[in-house]
Amino acid sequence: MRLLERMRKEWFMIGIVVAIAAAKLEPSVGVHGGPLKPEITVSYIAVATIFFNSGLSLKTEELTSALVHLKLHLFIQIFTLAFFPAAVWLFLQLLSITSINEWLLKGLQTVGCMPPPVSSAVILTKAVGGNEAAAIFNSAFGSFLGIVVTPLLLLLFIVRRYIKEWLERKKPPFGAISSSVLLMIIYTTFCDTFSNPHFDLDKFSLILILFIIVSIQLSFMLLTFIFSTRNNSGFTPADTVAIIFCSTHKSLTLGIPMLKIVFAGHEHLSLISVPLLIYHPAQILLGSVLVPTIKSWMVSRQKGVKLTRPTV
């Protein structure tokens, strides 16, 4: 199952590259008013499908088992939806005096405001052996908070309750559906961009944004590790693993549709989307590389706790 999930993510990364390349080669197909009619198929149908699919795939019954760990949930949600965007905003005030493309910087700010993903943080937490229930709760709850103003999501939870048995029996391919629709959104977004004769992507700015994103991820992972392992923090090593991944990961699946709604018709939408498109694969790559190290640390800490426990 884990192998299939990894393969799906790898194909999705390839799909992003193909979608952008196809938009560059023939932008007229997916441009506003073109054959695909993105002003209808993307703005309404695709975005609604993403949110509907996300709501159905959330196993709300699994969230109740993690509700009792309030301190852990507060830490993750405050870090993700308050500290993260505020810290990025302060950092961008310094970067605003540089020559980096201003729309890429605005895109970096939108990354900071995004909710956590439901999939990658949970998968990496499980791979290490961390607190999976807490990861599921905070990823799902964070995603819910990210679109709480959308009445549709409330409908999704109601719908899932009535078709719960069918979902568990058939196990629809939620991941494949979301990925396919998401690639369509990315494709049409870049069609609009490449059809604009004034579009010019500064390669120097792009390289700097890539470096900044990796630096932010590593810095925030280290920061959450330090905060959650302090004396009297009340968090177990397994909790720390969930905190590291859930507090620093951002959702591409919900993020791109949100940007499409908030910046609908904006000529720089694709540039604003670029940092999120970079952040997503970077968080998976960094997380995968760090899994053995974090797992080794967690196991050693758990053994240390057992050895220090008094015998009865």
Side-chain angles (χ1 to χ4, degrees):
M1 194 59 145
R2 193 177 299 170
L3 177 61
L4 289 175
E5 181 67 22
R6 187 168 70 248
M7 289 176 63
R8 186 182 69 80
K9 288 185 178 296
E10 289 174 354
W11 278 109
F12 179 65
M13 301 303 174
I14 296 172
I16 291 177
V17 176
V18 172
I20 296 174
K24 174 67 173 176
L25 291 173
E26 194 55 59
S28 61
V29 176
V31 75
H32 188 87
L36 284 181
K37 298 295 181 184
E39 61 272 21
I40 298 174
T41 58
V42 171
S43 298
Y44 297 102
I45 300 175
V47 171
T49 300
I50 286 285
F51 287 132
F52 186 78
N53 193 61
S54 297
L56 289 179
S57 62
L58 291 180
K59 296 183 178 180
T60 53
E61 61 273 11
E62 291 184 6
L63 307 185
T64 56
S65 63
L67 279 172
V68 293
H69 208 332
L70 184 60
K71 184 178 179 180
L72 173 63
H73 307 325
L74 284 175
F75 181 96
I76 292 175
Q77 297 305 325
I78 291 173
F79 190 96
T80 303
L81 299 174
F83 177 82
F84 200 121
V88 170
W89 180 82
L90 288 173
F91 184 47
L92 291 181
Q93 302 313 300
L94 298 175
L95 293 179
S96 63
I97 62 175
T98 67
S99 59
I100 300 177
N101 186 291
E102 64 171 313
W103 296 106
L104 289 177
L105 292 180
K106 290 182 185 298
L108 195 57
Q109 181 64 74
T110 65
V111 170
C113 298
M114 290 299 159
V118 177
S119 56
S120 61
V122 175
I123 292 169
L124 290 170
T125 299
K126 185 176 182 179
V128 174
N131 191 335
E132 186 181 355
I136 292 172
F137 175 85
N138 283 281
S139 295
F141 186 62
S143 297
F144 170 76
L145 287 179
I147 52 176
V148 70
V149 294
T150 308
L152 179 60
L153 190 60
L154 296 175
L155 174 63
L156 299 180
F157 284 111
I158 296 172
V159 171
R160 192 182 196 283
R161 184 178 62 188
Y162 286 110
I163 61 173
K164 175 184 173 183
E165 291 184 4
W166 181 85
L167 290 173
E168 292 178 348
R169 186 173 65 254
K170 296 296 184 180
K171 299 187 184 303
F174 293 117
I177 294 172
S178 291
S179 296
S180 300
V181 176
L182 199 55
L183 288 175
M184 180 183 177
I185 295 175
I186 293 170
Y187 169 69
T188 56
T189 297
F190 277 87
C191 280
D192 280 331
T193 297
F194 293 131
S195 64
N196 184 351
H198 304 294
F199 173 73
D200 182 27
L201 181 58
D202 179 10
K203 292 181 175 60
F204 175 71
S205 294
L206 192 60
I207 293 172
L208 280 180
I209 287 293
L210 174 60
F211 174 76
I212 290 168
I213 284 174
V214 173
S215 299
I216 287 175
Q217 289 190 21
L218 287 174
S219 299
F220 282 2
M221 289 178 81
L222 178 61
L223 195 60
T224 54
F225 176 80
I226 293 172
F227 282 158
S228 60
T229 54
R230 292 177 304 167
N231 291 332
N232 302 319
S233 68
F235 298 128
T236 66
D239 291 340
T240 295
V241 174
I243 287 172
I244 290 173
F245 291 125
C246 293
S247 299
T248 59
H249 281 212
K250 296 294 181 178
S251 175
L252 178 69
T253 304
L254 297 178
I256 290 296
M258 284 182 188
L259 293 180
K260 194 73 176 178
I261 294 171
V262 175
F263 297 97
H266 200 293
E267 62 176 327
H268 297 293
L269 173 59
S270 60
L271 284 178
I272 295 172
S273 305
V274 165
L276 184 57
L277 292 172
I278 295 174
Y279 196 98
H280 179 73
Q283 70 188 10
I284 295 174
L285 179 61
L286 281 176
S288 300
V289 169
L290 292 174
V291 159
T293 302
I294 297 175
K295 186 171 186 177
S296 177
W297 168 83
M298 189 191 73
V299 171
S300 64
R301 281 294 299 270
Q302 288 175 333
K303 287 181 178 178
V305 170
K306 290 179 180 178
L307 289 174
T308 55
R309 284 178 180 170
T311 56
V312 179

